Amino acid sequence: MKEVILIKNGELALKGLNRSTFENMMMTDIRRRIEKCGKFSVTSSQSTVTVSPEDGSADIRSAYENIMRVFGIAAVCRCAVCEKDMDSICRTAEEYLKDRLTRAETFKVEAKRADKRFPLKSPQICENAGEYILNAFPGIRVDVHNPDVTVHVEIREREAYIHAGLEPGAGGMPAGSNGRALLLLSGGIDSPVAGWMMAKRGVSITAVHFMSPPYTGERAKMKVESLCRKLAGFCGRVRLYEVGFTEIQERLRDSCPEEIFTVLMRRLMMKVASQIAEKAHCKALITGESIGQVASQTMDALVCTDAAVSMPVFRPLIGMDKEEIVRIARKIDTFDTSILPYEDCCTVFTPKHPKTRPVLADVIRAEEEAGDWAQMIIDAADGAAVAEYSCF
């Protein structure tokens, strides 16, 4: 029995004159992700992409799992292909969906007749296939409102397709279709989710992680590298810059008011990140901040942080609560890694009583009084170690 993967475009269908550009980017991503799964053909027609194995060695299950992570896809399904006659359609439905129908108590049939030359109309297709299934699976009954299994029959130009319904795809826009941005990746729960959310909108992700040895250890570094691998499963490829930040933090600790230490540290992180962003051809920064979650994420503190750089700062989690963020982290499989108990540099030298409403003028004055940071920022950016993570 021939089996293929059907892929439904999402918002790409609404893109007007740019539609073909976005669709081609998505199809390129699909081809790259299934390359290791064997030989497949990838074709597009009427907002539907069909992925067909070209020989028996093609691993359609692995291809399907990889396709489920491709941004730009609204829905996906595996389906059986058969000739366009009712006998073939009914036999194929019985064989292909046998396991599901055997376990089910109720079912219904839905038909879509794209080829209007087919002699039976959609209601007649449903009636014929439904009668066959009732005879083939004793004990099963029809429920058109809430069935356990829905048998889908699609009559297309050359062939008929049989499946049990579409599963939601990754959604969003194709990878790389909306520029590149630099993600400040701390290793906590929030920042990987922020990176995934921006990648879902077509933004290519480069990451920067700040380390403070000996206050942070090798396992903390390995944790962040693991998060990059997980993000690369969706983004395709992630480049990680690992920045030594100890000297800057120690100087802040020794020369700045304790209550604004975290805000000053965040400002200097942003300055280092912006230097790296320019080198990496990133047009914006991404952070995992959610307003009011901690002292450094109040509106006043965020104003002080943003003033440190001239490029845009994207905060996709800004209006979300922790429960919503955790739900996404579990969905993208970063949560268990993020909660591993290894210190990151954001928790080093944390003040006991941080100021929740810092004044920008006071923060800038304290930063300037601590000395000239320009060379330390340049050295930190230039000294970053670089690693690449790819799902291809």
Side-chain angles (χ1 to χ4, degrees):
M1 181 189 305
K2 182 181 178 182
E3 189 178 22
V4 302
I5 301 171
L6 290 184
I7 298 167
K8 302 291 185 179
N9 294 350
E11 62 185 276
L12 304 191
L14 307 175
K15 293 301 177 183
L17 296 177
N18 293 325
R19 175 177 166 179
S20 61
T21 300
F22 290 117
E23 287 182 343
N24 289 337
M25 294 182 77
M26 186 186 74
M27 290 177 66
T28 297
D29 196 8
I30 291 170
R31 290 188 179 99
R32 294 178 70 185
R33 287 173 183 266
I34 65 175
E35 188 174 2
K36 294 180 180 179
C37 303
K39 294 184 68 176
F40 292 86
S41 65
V42 182
T43 58
S44 178
S45 176
Q46 297 179 330
S47 298
T48 300
V49 176
T50 304
V51 177
S52 305
E54 294 190 347
D55 56 44
S57 65
D59 185 349
I60 197 164
R61 177 178 295 180
S62 294
Y64 182 81
E65 291 173 356
N66 290 344
I67 287 169
M68 289 290 286
R69 291 172 170 253
V70 174
F71 290 123
I73 294 175
V76 191
C77 74
R78 290 167 62 175
C79 63
V81 183
C82 64
E83 295 179 5
K84 291 194 303 181
D85 67 75
M86 282 310 303
D87 285 342
S88 179
I89 289 168
C90 290
R91 290 195 306 270
T92 300
E94 177 187 8
E95 181 182 353
Y96 188 61
L97 302 177
K98 182 177 181 179
D99 289 343
R100 296 193 186 199
L101 290 168
T102 301
R103 295 193 303 268
E105 294 182 1
T106 60
F107 82 104
K108 74 172 180 178
V109 179
E110 290 187 356
K112 184 183 294 184
R113 190 175 61 122
D115 181 2
K116 303 305 180 185
R117 296 170 299 177
F118 191 75
L120 300 181
K121 295 183 178 180
S122 295
Q124 294 171 304
I125 295 170
C126 293
E127 181 180 349
N128 279 263
E131 182 179 359
Y132 183 95
I133 291 170
L134 284 169
N135 292 327
F137 297 90
I140 201 169
R141 56 188 173 82
V142 174
D143 183 346
V144 297
H145 299 294
N146 189 31
D148 296 330
V149 176
T150 300
V151 178
H152 293 262
V153 179
E154 297 188 26
I155 307 297
R156 300 193 170 223
E157 185 177 347
R158 294 187 178 87
E159 300 164 313
Y161 294 80
I162 314 296
H163 60 87
L166 297 161
E167 291 189 52
M173 297 290 294
S177 60
N178 280 310
R180 179 175 296 278
L182 183 69
L183 170 67
L184 278 72
L185 186 62
S186 68
I189 297 171
D190 300 341
S191 54
V193 173
W196 177 84
M197 290 180 70
M198 294 306 300
K200 185 177 179 179
R201 298 310 306 161
V203 176
S204 294
I205 301 297
T206 297
V208 58
H209 175 65
F210 294 90
M211 306 177 299
S212 298
Y215 307 104
T216 60
E218 186 65 24
R219 286 191 293 184
K221 175 183 173 183
M222 292 170 63
K223 171 183 172 180
V224 169
E225 292 170 348
S226 176
L227 289 172
C228 281
R229 292 187 188 94
K230 291 182 180 295
L231 286 175
F234 293 95
C235 306
R237 181 176 287 109
V238 175
R239 174 176 291 179
L240 173 66
Y241 289 83
E242 298 172 319
V243 175
F245 205 57
T246 309
E247 187 178 355
I248 290 177
Q249 283 188 293
E250 289 179 335
R251 179 169 165 182
L252 272 177
R253 176 198 61 189
D254 296 337
S255 59
C256 296
E258 182 187 10
E259 66 272 14
I260 59 171
F261 171 86
T262 303
V263 173
L264 288 168
M265 179 187 70
R266 294 289 296 175
R267 282 175 56 84
L268 292 169
M269 282 181 171
M270 299 291 270
K271 290 182 179 184
V272 174
S274 67
Q275 294 263 336
I276 293 172
E278 290 181 9
K279 293 194 298 182
H281 307 292
C282 297
K283 297 179 180 179
L285 303 178
I286 304 168
T287 75
E289 290 157 320
S290 172
I291 194 161
Q293 188 175 141
V294 295
S296 64
Q297 296 177 21
T298 64
M299 188 173 294
D300 298 88
L302 295 178
V303 167
C304 293
T305 302
D306 280 2
V309 294
S310 58
M311 63 174 49
V313 180
F314 295 144
R315 295 183 172 94
L317 313 185
I318 196 68
M320 299 175 68
D321 61 35
K322 200 67 176 184
E323 185 178 338
E324 293 172 303
I325 298 167
V326 167
R327 191 180 304 123
I328 297 174
R330 292 186 186 278
K331 172 184 173 181
I332 65 175
D333 193 31
T334 58
F335 179 78
D336 290 339
T337 302
S338 292
I339 62 173
L340 292 173
Y342 309 135
E343 294 284 338
D344 63 61
C345 76
C346 294
T347 61
V348 176
F349 311 133
T350 302
K352 292 181 179 179
H353 303 289
K355 197 164 188 176
T356 58
R357 294 185 178 179
V359 177
L360 179 58
D362 295 340
V363 170
I364 292 175
R365 188 183 309 111
E367 186 178 299
E368 291 174 347
E369 288 175 353
D372 186 2
W373 296 96
Q375 192 58 50
M376 294 184 75
I377 291 168
I378 293 170
D379 291 343
D382 289 346
V386 184
E388 294 271 358
Y389 303 92
S390 173
C391 71
F392 303 128

